[in-house]
Amino acid sequence: MAAPLLVLVYVVIGCGAAIAVWVERLPLGQSKGGAAAALMLVFWPFFLPGLLTPEPGGRPKNQRRADGIEALGKEVQSAWTQAGVAGEREQALLAGFVEQLVGEEDRLAELEASLSAAPERVRPRLLALKEEGEAELAAGRLALEELGAQLLLWRFAGKKDGAERITVDELVARIEALASLEATTGR
Amino acid sequence: MSSTPLPTAAPRLLIEPASPFAEAELELPRLESLLPPERPSLLGDLYGAPGTLAGRLLDREARAEVVRISILAIVIGTALFAVLATSHLGAWGSARAALLLAANTFLGLMGALGPIYATGLLVAARLPLSRWVGVLLSGAASSALLLGALAPIAHLAFRIDPLWAGPLSLAGAFLVAGLSGGVRLYRVLHALAAAVRGEALRDGELFRLKIQARMALVFTALTGALGLWAFDPFLGG
Amino acid sequence: MSTSTLTSWLAAIDRPARQTLALAQAPFRSTVGLALAGSGLLVASSLIAEVLVSAPGGALQVPKAQLLLPIFESLALVGPSAVIGAAQVGLRSTTRTWLAAFAVGLLIAGVVTTATLPLMGYLVLVSRAQPYFTPALLLPVLGLAGLASTVGRVLEAIEDPPAGRRASVVFQLALALVFGLRAAVHLGIY
């Protein structure tokens, strides 16, 4: 049978890996020293890939930019959830708005990339487009931040109606207006 | 396995259906404020929301810890199940069953790991092997914990009727635990992809991810079943 | 094997079309090297699987490699006409692009078969019945699937949608057909 041969190969590799872990004092999770070596000896197929293969690198730059807005959107969404008043319509509105802003940001990044290579006569037009986009983005970000702050206030004030409700409703209306504006001007 | 995004907490005020004769709760603190604070615990992550587990799997050291705790959970869950389900075989039979079931689970996972990785290559959805280990083991650990939780049912079934109810409950427990592990696998893979990508997956990508999760379940079920057939942990020596 | 080699292999596995185009620009020896590495993995893992699975009495039989040869035969038969035919119908893949795609495909095929090797070991450990065919025959088939799917993916990525899709399907069908015919001959069915 080939089975004993396989077991032998398994044990030999396990011993090698365990000795390496022991000599190098490598920790496996919270196990160290002898415990780590013993773990490696028995379960090396589960631990060896993590030690041998290079860890995938970080994400590219322009993705990290979009993250800022997405993180902000998530914050506002969770603030809304915790305040306990968001209906489905508002949730969808907010999600759509954040998506729009992220798309806008991507477009701006493309615009910036093409700006340096653009011929001289189209450059003023591109610059104007870029400024317009940046202003839109800033307005959107501001509205989101205000909404987040208002929701936080509301949650701690503990009142579910009255003046705060009106402010939040106003902010929602503003975001809706911005969203529809973006949808119409959005290229 | 639905294609909807991962569920978020529903915005809702907690209202207790108190006795109509109790005093109004106006002065009492709100029910939300009494909820226990969320304490991060690895064991809880094994069957809790998949997002935090995905975060752990992306980090090298945290992943090693996930693998370590998962191994522990698999040993405990399977051994508990084997001991309780084979209590009619006596101490020696139970110990043998516990040892064989745990060993079989690990061997099956080791045998399935390579083909699962290869499936990822074939469907253009490679996940680094080191992360696959974490995903697969944590899924198996949640299954094993569920298996351990189902152990009393199997135990009772064997007491009542060792010829029919016992074996059926055994097969049923494996089926339930396996399917729940498969769903769990898909959700962790999804959360992992979302965390790495930082944006929603496209339809094609989601489709390939589902194939991946299903194939992982199929391979693990195949190797696990072959192992059960070979080792016969539940028949006694 | 250095870490950078491994990283470039993983990059080829993750984004085969990108790596194919890069290989087509790079010196030709890197394409040859990648193809040799992939073929080496494919051949070695298939042979090891046969040795493992078909060793009942402890005596290691000489592997027959009945399905290993057909992979390379089908590539040798379909490849040249694919290169010429693609140029005829106006696809933008050049000869170098095709060769690079084959190299990346062979690499993925090799990694797929190597990754399946532990399963063969597991089957040896737990098998309790004699199957109708040795499971080691599965490995070359998986290798062919890896090769065909990779070249198809590359074609679909770098050609325009309808033409790329069509070319990919035609190439994969031709590869599978030739493989099937040659395999039938090698297995003595035909």
Side-chain angles (χ1 to χ4, degrees):
Chain A
M1 281 291 278
L5 181 74
L6 276 176
V7 173
L8 186 71
V9 170
Y10 186 92
V11 171
V12 167
I13 297 180
C15 284
I19 291 171
V21 163
W22 175 258
V23 172
E24 295 281 320
R25 301 263 151 218
L26 290 173
L28 296 182
Q30 286 174 9
S31 299
K32 292 183 186 67
L39 259 183
M40 191 55 129
L41 177 67
V42 183
F43 296 109
W44 62 264
F46 297 145
F47 289 105
L48 219 45
L51 290 181
L52 289 185
T53 52
E55 199 67 5
R59 53 177 71 177
K61 260 185 192 151
N62 62 344
Q63 266 187 349
R64 190 162 289 147
R65 276 179 49 139
D67 253 354
I69 287 211
E70 268 179 333
L72 187 62
K74 271 189 196 123
E75 246 170 56
V76 174
Q77 199 114 37
S78 79
W80 219 333
T81 312
Q82 279 167 348
V85 284
E88 269 179 28
R89 196 185 76 88
E90 281 95 343
Q91 297 261 18
L93 176 67
L94 188 62
F97 187 56
V98 169
E99 211 174 283
Q100 268 183 0
L101 287 185
V102 170
E104 178 77 21
E105 222 174 22
D106 286 351
R107 267 199 301 278
L108 270 180
E110 276 170 30
L111 203 61
E112 254 167 50
S114 61
L115 202 58
S116 52
E120 207 50 57
R121 58 201 162 72
V122 291
R123 197 165 286 182
R125 171 87 189 111
L126 285 183
L127 270 175
L129 267 178
K130 181 175 170 246
E131 272 168 21
E132 201 183 310
E134 273 170 352
E136 269 177 19
L137 203 61
R141 194 185 270 275
L142 191 70
L144 272 184
E145 274 168 2
E146 263 187 56
L147 183 61
Q150 198 60 41
L151 284 168
L152 200 68
L153 196 70
W154 191 8
R155 189 172 135 219
F156 285 113
K159 289 193 210 110
K160 302 295 173 215
D161 44 27
E164 284 86 358
R165 172 91 233 182
I166 294 167
T167 330
V168 168
D169 282 346
E170 266 172 15
L171 280 167
V172 170
R174 202 164 105 207
I175 283 183
E176 204 168 1
L178 278 174
S180 63
L181 186 73
E182 280 233 26
T184 48
T185 61
R187 283 126 295 210
Chain B
M1 294 188 193
S2 71
S3 64
T4 49
L6 298 172
T8 49
R12 194 168 64 84
L13 289 178
L14 299 177
I15 296 165
E16 188 179 14
S19 155
F21 307 110
E23 286 161 25
E25 314 192 324
L26 285 176
E27 294 83 44
L28 299 175
R30 287 222 54 91
L31 214 48
E32 289 91 344
S33 65
L34 297 178
L35 289 174
E38 283 183 17
R39 211 173 297 127
S41 116
L42 182 45
L43 207 57
D45 280 355
L46 285 183
Y47 46 86
T52 42
L53 187 66
R56 286 180 198 271
L57 290 178
L58 289 176
D59 177 69
R60 188 191 283 263
E61 269 99 57
R63 187 176 50 226
E65 183 63 10
V66 168
V67 170
R68 202 177 69 101
I69 294 293
S70 298
I71 288 175
L72 195 69
I74 292 172
V75 170
I76 293 175
T78 52
L80 187 68
F81 181 79
V83 166
L84 278 185
T86 57
S87 55
H88 58 286
L89 293 179
W92 167 241
S94 288
R96 176 184 173 278
L99 187 71
L100 281 180
L101 188 61
N104 172 45
T105 310
F106 287 122
L107 274 177
L109 288 174
M110 287 171 193
L113 201 53
I116 291 172
Y117 180 73
T119 320
L121 301 191
L122 289 181
V123 300
R126 181 184 79 93
L127 177 68
L129 191 59
S130 50
R131 292 186 183 167
W132 253 125
V133 171
V135 172
L136 199 62
L137 272 181
S138 64
S142 78
S143 278
L145 289 176
L146 181 58
L147 206 59
L150 292 174
I153 301 178
H155 176 74
L156 195 65
F158 268 107
R159 291 269 147 197
I160 293 170
D161 176 11
L163 203 58
W164 280 104
L168 277 180
S169 74
L170 211 64
F174 277 118
L175 194 67
V176 169
L179 287 180
S180 97
V183 173
R184 175 93 201 141
L185 206 68
Y186 169 69
R187 295 183 63 194
V188 172
L189 282 178
H190 193 179
L192 205 56
V196 172
R197 180 61 70 80
E199 61 185 24
L201 299 183
R202 272 163 280 174
D203 278 351
E205 292 170 332
L206 204 59
F207 175 69
R208 283 177 296 165
L209 199 143
K210 271 185 193 170
I211 294 185
Q212 214 13 167
R214 281 180 200 162
M215 288 312 287
L217 183 60
V218 166
F219 276 123
T220 320
L222 174 77
T223 52
L226 280 176
L228 284 182
W229 182 23
F231 299 131
D232 273 340
F234 293 103
L235 286 188
Chain C
M1 187 170 55
S2 70
T3 315
S4 66
T5 319
L6 192 63
T7 313
S8 78
W9 283 15
L10 293 178
I13 292 171
D14 278 339
R15 305 183 196 284
R18 200 170 285 270
Q19 202 68 10
T20 297
L21 294 179
L23 269 182
Q25 304 284 328
F28 189 58
R29 62 167 185 278
S30 41
T31 305
V32 174
L34 201 65
L36 283 181
S39 314
L41 282 178
L42 180 61
V43 170
S45 56
S46 301
L47 294 187
I48 292 177
E50 284 214 15
V51 170
L52 268 182
V53 176
S54 61
L60 299 185
Q61 296 179 349
V62 180
K64 297 183 204 68
Q66 284 153 326
L67 289 190
L68 203 49
L69 214 50
I71 294 183
F72 297 102
E73 284 175 346
S74 62
L75 192 57
L77 283 177
V78 176
S81 13
V83 175
I84 304 294
Q88 293 277 348
V89 297
L91 296 184
R92 60 170 80 93
S93 310
T94 60
T95 311
R96 284 293 307 274
T97 323
W98 275 101
L99 291 179
F102 292 156
V104 175
L106 281 172
L107 174 74
I108 293 193
V111 176
V112 164
T113 49
T114 310
T116 319
L117 201 52
L119 180 67
M120 296 300 138
Y122 183 77
L123 289 180
V124 170
L125 276 184
V126 302
S127 62
R128 287 291 178 273
Q130 199 64 40
Y132 291 112
F133 66 95
T134 155
L137 288 185
L138 211 65
L139 254 64
V141 179
L142 279 178
L144 184 85
L147 174 66
S149 75
T150 308
V151 177
R153 263 168 82 189
V154 171
L155 282 177
E156 281 175 44
I158 64 180
E159 302 293 347
D160 295 325
R165 176 97 197 124
R166 235 173 285 149
S168 144
V169 169
V170 169
F171 175 80
Q172 289 174 340
L173 282 182
L175 204 64
L177 185 71
V178 175
F179 176 81
L181 287 176
R182 292 306 301 164
V185 171
H186 280 276
L187 289 174
I189 300 171
Y190 174 69

PDB file of all heavy atoms in Angstrom, chain B residues 2 23 28 31 35 50 60 63 77 82-83 102-103 105 115 118 120 128 143 159 191 195 198-199:
ATOM      1  N   SER B   2     -29.047  33.635  -0.674  1.00  0.00           N
ATOM      2  CA  SER B   2     -29.669  34.636  -1.525  1.00  0.00           C
ATOM      3  C   SER B   2     -28.609  35.597  -2.012  1.00  0.00           C
ATOM      4  O   SER B   2     -27.513  35.658  -1.491  1.00  0.00           O
ATOM      5  CB  SER B   2     -30.736  35.385  -0.738  1.00  0.00           C
ATOM      6  OG  SER B   2     -30.118  36.216   0.210  1.00  0.00           O
ATOM      7  N   GLU B  23     -47.071  49.326  35.550  1.00  0.00           N
ATOM      8  CA  GLU B  23     -47.027  50.775  35.385  1.00  0.00           C
ATOM      9  C   GLU B  23     -46.326  51.122  34.088  1.00  0.00           C
ATOM     10  O   GLU B  23     -45.519  50.348  33.576  1.00  0.00           O
ATOM     11  CB  GLU B  23     -46.276  51.390  36.571  1.00  0.00           C
ATOM     12  CG  GLU B  23     -47.107  51.386  37.838  1.00  0.00           C
ATOM     13  CD  GLU B  23     -46.250  51.552  39.073  1.00  0.00           C
ATOM     14  OE1 GLU B  23     -45.160  52.123  38.914  1.00  0.00           O
ATOM     15  OE2 GLU B  23     -46.665  51.092  40.137  1.00  0.00           O
ATOM     16  N   LEU B  28     -38.561  54.281  33.313  1.00  0.00           N
ATOM     17  CA  LEU B  28     -37.534  53.246  33.231  1.00  0.00           C
ATOM     18  C   LEU B  28     -36.568  53.564  32.093  1.00  0.00           C
ATOM     19  O   LEU B  28     -36.939  54.224  31.131  1.00  0.00           O
ATOM     20  CB  LEU B  28     -38.202  51.886  32.973  1.00  0.00           C
ATOM     21  CG  LEU B  28     -39.166  51.463  34.075  1.00  0.00           C
ATOM     22  CD1 LEU B  28     -39.870  50.175  33.699  1.00  0.00           C
ATOM     23  CD2 LEU B  28     -38.417  51.296  35.383  1.00  0.00           C
ATOM     24  N   LEU B  31     -35.080  50.074  26.743  1.00  0.00           N
ATOM     25  CA  LEU B  31     -34.637  48.689  26.633  1.00  0.00           C
ATOM     26  C   LEU B  31     -33.298  48.585  25.892  1.00  0.00           C
ATOM     27  O   LEU B  31     -32.443  47.751  26.208  1.00  0.00           O
ATOM     28  CB  LEU B  31     -35.702  47.891  25.891  1.00  0.00           C
ATOM     29  CG  LEU B  31     -35.892  46.435  26.304  1.00  0.00           C
ATOM     30  CD1 LEU B  31     -36.002  46.317  27.794  1.00  0.00           C
ATOM     31  CD2 LEU B  31     -37.111  45.861  25.621  1.00  0.00           C
ATOM     32  N   LEU B  35     -29.158  46.540  26.565  1.00  0.00           N
ATOM     33  CA  LEU B  35     -28.546  45.474  25.780  1.00  0.00           C
ATOM     34  C   LEU B  35     -27.081  45.341  26.187  1.00  0.00           C
ATOM     35  O   LEU B  35     -26.419  46.340  26.443  1.00  0.00           O
ATOM     36  CB  LEU B  35     -28.620  45.802  24.286  1.00  0.00           C
ATOM     37  CG  LEU B  35     -30.019  45.710  23.674  1.00  0.00           C
ATOM     38  CD1 LEU B  35     -29.985  46.202  22.239  1.00  0.00           C
ATOM     39  CD2 LEU B  35     -30.526  44.289  23.727  1.00  0.00           C
ATOM     40  N   PRO B  50     -20.583  37.486   9.884  1.00  0.00           N
ATOM     41  CA  PRO B  50     -19.358  37.095   9.178  1.00  0.00           C
ATOM     42  C   PRO B  50     -18.385  38.252   8.948  1.00  0.00           C
ATOM     43  O   PRO B  50     -17.227  38.004   8.654  1.00  0.00           O
ATOM     44  CB  PRO B  50     -19.876  36.553   7.847  1.00  0.00           C
ATOM     45  CG  PRO B  50     -21.197  37.187   7.659  1.00  0.00           C
ATOM     46  CD  PRO B  50     -21.755  37.433   9.024  1.00  0.00           C
ATOM     47  N   ARG B  60      -2.549  38.495   9.055  1.00  0.00           N
ATOM     48  CA  ARG B  60      -1.801  37.238   9.178  1.00  0.00           C
ATOM     49  C   ARG B  60      -1.864  36.652  10.593  1.00  0.00           C
ATOM     50  O   ARG B  60      -2.191  35.479  10.759  1.00  0.00           O
ATOM     51  CB  ARG B  60      -0.344  37.494   8.787  1.00  0.00           C
ATOM     52  CG  ARG B  60       0.480  36.236   8.701  1.00  0.00           C
ATOM     53  CD  ARG B  60       1.940  36.575   8.573  1.00  0.00           C
ATOM     54  NE  ARG B  60       2.299  37.014   7.246  1.00  0.00           N
ATOM     55  CZ  ARG B  60       2.838  36.208   6.321  1.00  0.00           C
ATOM     56  NH1 ARG B  60       3.058  34.961   6.609  1.00  0.00           N
ATOM     57  NH2 ARG B  60       3.159  36.652   5.144  1.00  0.00           N
ATOM     58  N   ARG B  63      -5.351  35.633  11.701  1.00  0.00           N
ATOM     59  CA  ARG B  63      -5.812  34.446  10.995  1.00  0.00           C
ATOM     60  C   ARG B  63      -5.266  33.171  11.640  1.00  0.00           C
ATOM     61  O   ARG B  63      -5.976  32.177  11.777  1.00  0.00           O
ATOM     62  CB  ARG B  63      -5.401  34.523   9.535  1.00  0.00           C
ATOM     63  CG  ARG B  63      -5.979  33.409   8.695  1.00  0.00           C
ATOM     64  CD  ARG B  63      -5.618  33.608   7.255  1.00  0.00           C
ATOM     65  NE  ARG B  63      -4.202  33.844   7.112  1.00  0.00           N
ATOM     66  CZ  ARG B  63      -3.676  34.790   6.363  1.00  0.00           C
ATOM     67  NH1 ARG B  63      -4.454  35.593   5.699  1.00  0.00           N
ATOM     68  NH2 ARG B  63      -2.386  34.943   6.284  1.00  0.00           N
ATOM     69  N   GLY B  77     -16.312  20.059  19.399  1.00  0.00           N
ATOM     70  CA  GLY B  77     -17.642  19.807  18.847  1.00  0.00           C
ATOM     71  C   GLY B  77     -17.809  18.369  18.386  1.00  0.00           C
ATOM     72  O   GLY B  77     -18.775  17.687  18.753  1.00  0.00           O
ATOM     73  N   ALA B  82     -19.608  12.754  19.067  1.00  0.00           N
ATOM     74  CA  ALA B  82     -19.310  11.322  18.968  1.00  0.00           C
ATOM     75  C   ALA B  82     -19.557  10.626  20.304  1.00  0.00           C
ATOM     76  O   ALA B  82     -20.145   9.539  20.342  1.00  0.00           O
ATOM     77  CB  ALA B  82     -17.869  11.131  18.518  1.00  0.00           C
ATOM     78  N   VAL B  83     -19.137  11.257  21.389  1.00  0.00           N
ATOM     79  CA  VAL B  83     -19.279  10.615  22.706  1.00  0.00           C
ATOM     80  C   VAL B  83     -20.757  10.439  23.058  1.00  0.00           C
ATOM     81  O   VAL B  83     -21.202   9.358  23.460  1.00  0.00           O
ATOM     82  CB  VAL B  83     -18.552  11.454  23.782  1.00  0.00           C
ATOM     83  CG1 VAL B  83     -18.987  11.004  25.164  1.00  0.00           C
ATOM     84  CG2 VAL B  83     -17.059  11.313  23.621  1.00  0.00           C
ATOM     85  N   ALA B 102     -13.015  13.187  15.014  1.00  0.00           N
ATOM     86  CA  ALA B 102     -12.196  14.402  14.940  1.00  0.00           C
ATOM     87  C   ALA B 102     -11.105  14.234  13.891  1.00  0.00           C
ATOM     88  O   ALA B 102     -10.913  15.112  13.033  1.00  0.00           O
ATOM     89  CB  ALA B 102     -11.589  14.706  16.305  1.00  0.00           C
ATOM     90  N   ALA B 103     -10.403  13.087  13.917  1.00  0.00           N
ATOM     91  CA  ALA B 103      -9.329  12.867  12.953  1.00  0.00           C
ATOM     92  C   ALA B 103      -9.888  12.873  11.539  1.00  0.00           C
ATOM     93  O   ALA B 103      -9.299  13.451  10.620  1.00  0.00           O
ATOM     94  CB  ALA B 103      -8.632  11.536  13.238  1.00  0.00           C
ATOM     95  N   THR B 105     -12.505  14.433  10.436  1.00  0.00           N
ATOM     96  CA  THR B 105     -12.841  15.788  10.024  1.00  0.00           C
ATOM     97  C   THR B 105     -11.603  16.524   9.526  1.00  0.00           C
ATOM     98  O   THR B 105     -11.622  17.150   8.461  1.00  0.00           O
ATOM     99  CB  THR B 105     -13.462  16.555  11.203  1.00  0.00           C
ATOM    100  OG1 THR B 105     -14.494  15.755  11.764  1.00  0.00           O
ATOM    101  CG2 THR B 105     -14.031  17.875  10.740  1.00  0.00           C
ATOM    102  N   PRO B 115      -8.292  20.670  -3.823  1.00  0.00           N
ATOM    103  CA  PRO B 115      -9.290  20.765  -4.889  1.00  0.00           C
ATOM    104  C   PRO B 115     -10.133  22.040  -4.810  1.00  0.00           C
ATOM    105  O   PRO B 115     -10.491  22.610  -5.840  1.00  0.00           O
ATOM    106  CB  PRO B 115     -10.166  19.537  -4.666  1.00  0.00           C
ATOM    107  CG  PRO B 115      -9.312  18.591  -3.939  1.00  0.00           C
ATOM    108  CD  PRO B 115      -8.369  19.385  -3.122  1.00  0.00           C
ATOM    109  N   ALA B 118      -8.118  24.662  -6.274  1.00  0.00           N
ATOM    110  CA  ALA B 118      -8.060  24.467  -7.724  1.00  0.00           C
ATOM    111  C   ALA B 118      -9.354  24.932  -8.392  1.00  0.00           C
ATOM    112  O   ALA B 118      -9.320  25.525  -9.472  1.00  0.00           O
ATOM    113  CB  ALA B 118      -7.796  23.002  -8.045  1.00  0.00           C
ATOM    114  N   GLY B 120     -11.175  27.345  -7.445  1.00  0.00           N
ATOM    115  CA  GLY B 120     -11.064  28.797  -7.511  1.00  0.00           C
ATOM    116  C   GLY B 120     -10.290  29.232  -8.747  1.00  0.00           C
ATOM    117  O   GLY B 120     -10.660  30.194  -9.415  1.00  0.00           O
ATOM    118  N   PRO B 128      -6.225  33.302  -1.900  1.00  0.00           N
ATOM    119  CA  PRO B 128      -4.957  32.730  -1.439  1.00  0.00           C
ATOM    120  C   PRO B 128      -5.186  31.552  -0.499  1.00  0.00           C
ATOM    121  O   PRO B 128      -6.102  31.576   0.325  1.00  0.00           O
ATOM    122  CB  PRO B 128      -4.299  33.899  -0.712  1.00  0.00           C
ATOM    123  CG  PRO B 128      -4.842  35.097  -1.382  1.00  0.00           C
ATOM    124  CD  PRO B 128      -6.247  34.763  -1.768  1.00  0.00           C
ATOM    125  N   SER B 143     -19.753  24.514  12.006  1.00  0.00           N
ATOM    126  CA  SER B 143     -20.501  23.259  11.823  1.00  0.00           C
ATOM    127  C   SER B 143     -20.306  22.329  13.010  1.00  0.00           C
ATOM    128  O   SER B 143     -21.250  21.708  13.488  1.00  0.00           O
ATOM    129  CB  SER B 143     -20.028  22.538  10.565  1.00  0.00           C
ATOM    130  OG  SER B 143     -20.634  23.063   9.443  1.00  0.00           O
ATOM    131  N   ARG B 159     -31.076   6.208  22.393  1.00  0.00           N
ATOM    132  CA  ARG B 159     -31.676   5.577  23.574  1.00  0.00           C
ATOM    133  C   ARG B 159     -33.042   5.013  23.219  1.00  0.00           C
ATOM    134  O   ARG B 159     -33.421   3.929  23.656  1.00  0.00           O
ATOM    135  CB  ARG B 159     -31.867   6.607  24.694  1.00  0.00           C
ATOM    136  CG  ARG B 159     -30.612   7.106  25.313  1.00  0.00           C
ATOM    137  CD  ARG B 159     -30.214   6.265  26.495  1.00  0.00           C
ATOM    138  NE  ARG B 159     -28.760   6.259  26.544  1.00  0.00           N
ATOM    139  CZ  ARG B 159     -28.052   5.390  27.228  1.00  0.00           C
ATOM    140  NH1 ARG B 159     -28.646   4.467  27.932  1.00  0.00           N
ATOM    141  NH2 ARG B 159     -26.741   5.438  27.213  1.00  0.00           N
ATOM    142  N   ALA B 191     -18.275  38.248   2.569  1.00  0.00           N
ATOM    143  CA  ALA B 191     -17.772  39.352   3.400  1.00  0.00           C
ATOM    144  C   ALA B 191     -16.299  39.603   3.115  1.00  0.00           C
ATOM    145  O   ALA B 191     -15.846  40.759   3.067  1.00  0.00           O
ATOM    146  CB  ALA B 191     -17.979  39.027   4.880  1.00  0.00           C
ATOM    147  N   ALA B 195     -14.745  42.995   1.738  1.00  0.00           N
ATOM    148  CA  ALA B 195     -13.744  43.720   2.522  1.00  0.00           C
ATOM    149  C   ALA B 195     -12.506  44.003   1.680  1.00  0.00           C
ATOM    150  O   ALA B 195     -11.913  45.083   1.772  1.00  0.00           O
ATOM    151  CB  ALA B 195     -13.359  42.909   3.759  1.00  0.00           C
ATOM    152  N   GLY B 198     -13.774  46.463  -1.287  1.00  0.00           N
ATOM    153  CA  GLY B 198     -14.191  47.785  -0.830  1.00  0.00           C
ATOM    154  C   GLY B 198     -15.387  48.305  -1.592  1.00  0.00           C
ATOM    155  O   GLY B 198     -15.781  49.444  -1.443  1.00  0.00           O
ATOM    156  N   GLU B 199     -15.992  47.496  -2.475  1.00  0.00           N
ATOM    157  CA  GLU B 199     -17.196  47.923  -3.185  1.00  0.00           C
ATOM    158  C   GLU B 199     -18.025  46.683  -3.490  1.00  0.00           C
ATOM    159  O   GLU B 199     -17.565  45.565  -3.296  1.00  0.00           O
ATOM    160  CB  GLU B 199     -16.833  48.659  -4.470  1.00  0.00           C
ATOM    161  CG  GLU B 199     -16.059  47.778  -5.427  1.00  0.00           C
ATOM    162  CD  GLU B 199     -15.582  48.523  -6.665  1.00  0.00           C
ATOM    163  OE1 GLU B 199     -15.433  49.741  -6.595  1.00  0.00           O
ATOM    164  OE2 GLU B 199     -15.359  47.862  -7.684  1.00  0.00           O
TER     165      GLU B 199
END
